[in-house]
């Protein structure tokens, strides 16, 4: 597991941070709105919520932008995508090899065409374009 993915799952380990993710997944939220919503569910200070937001930012799960004096938070899909990819590899470890194996099969098929042409007595060009013989 990469350090990035490890940070993501460490961040997801806390129920307050998971709740914050639910809030920002619905829509962009101001820091004040997030603090108020979290304080309704848990006895936590504003600096405590800010620390949770920092952990989520550092893990790549939320992004923040400034709008005047306000800070607006939004779910960052790249962090979620990294976590999903890691989980998918657990569920289907062979899947990561599917595309390279498809490419290998294509290369093998390409190699067979010239051999077939040589065995049939036709040139490689004729084997590649069967209509060329009749032109």
């Amino acid at each position: 597991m990469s350090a990035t993915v490890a940070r993501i799952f460490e961040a997801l380990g806390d129920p307050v941070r998971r709740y914050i993710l639910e809030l920002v997944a619905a829509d962009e939220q101001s820091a004040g709105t997030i603090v108020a919503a979290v304080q309704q569910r848990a006895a936590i200070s504003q600096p405590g919520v800010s620390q949770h937001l920092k952990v989520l930012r550092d893990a790549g799960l939320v992004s923040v932008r400034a709008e005047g004096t306000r800070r607006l938070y939004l779910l960052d899909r790249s962090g979620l995508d990294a976590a999903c990819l890691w989980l998918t590899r657990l569920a289907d470890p062979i899947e990561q090899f599917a595309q390279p194996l498809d490419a290998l099969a294509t290369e093998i098929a390409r190699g067979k065409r010239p051999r077939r042409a040589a065995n049939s007595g036709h040139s490689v060009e004729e084997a590649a374009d069967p209509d060329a013989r009749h032109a």
Side-chain angles (χ1 to χ4, degrees), residues 70-82:
R70 296 173 25 164
R71 299 290 174 257
L72 299 169
Y73 289 85
L74 183 64
L75 187 67
D76 188 337
R77 294 291 315 177
S78 64
L80 290 180
D81 292 343

Side-chain angles (χ1 to χ4, degrees), residues 11-64:
L12 292 173
D14 187 280
V16 171
R17 291 192 285 263
R18 289 192 305 268
Y19 179 63
I20 292 171
L21 283 178
E22 290 175 16
L23 291 172
V24 298
D27 195 16
E28 188 175 55
Q29 302 288 326
S30 70
T33 302
I34 294 169
V35 168
V38 171
Q39 286 178 335
Q40 288 180 348
R41 294 188 71 171
I44 188 169
S45 66
Q46 181 275 327
V49 175
S50 292
Q51 185 60 36
H52 284 298
L53 287 167
K54 180 183 182 328
V55 170
L56 291 170
R57 265 192 339 266
D58 291 346
L61 291 167
V62 298
S63 59
V64 63

Side-chain angles (χ1 to χ4, degrees), residues 77-94:
R77 294 291 315 177
S78 64
L80 290 180
D81 292 343
C84 287
L85 179 62
W86 188 82
L87 290 169
T88 300
R89 286 184 178 154
L90 284 181
D92 190 4
I94 302 300

Side-chain angles (χ1 to χ4, degrees), residues 94-107:
I94 302 300
E95 175 61 29
Q96 64 184 323
F97 300 110
Q99 186 175 5
L101 289 176
D102 290 345
L104 177 61
T106 301
E107 291 303 315

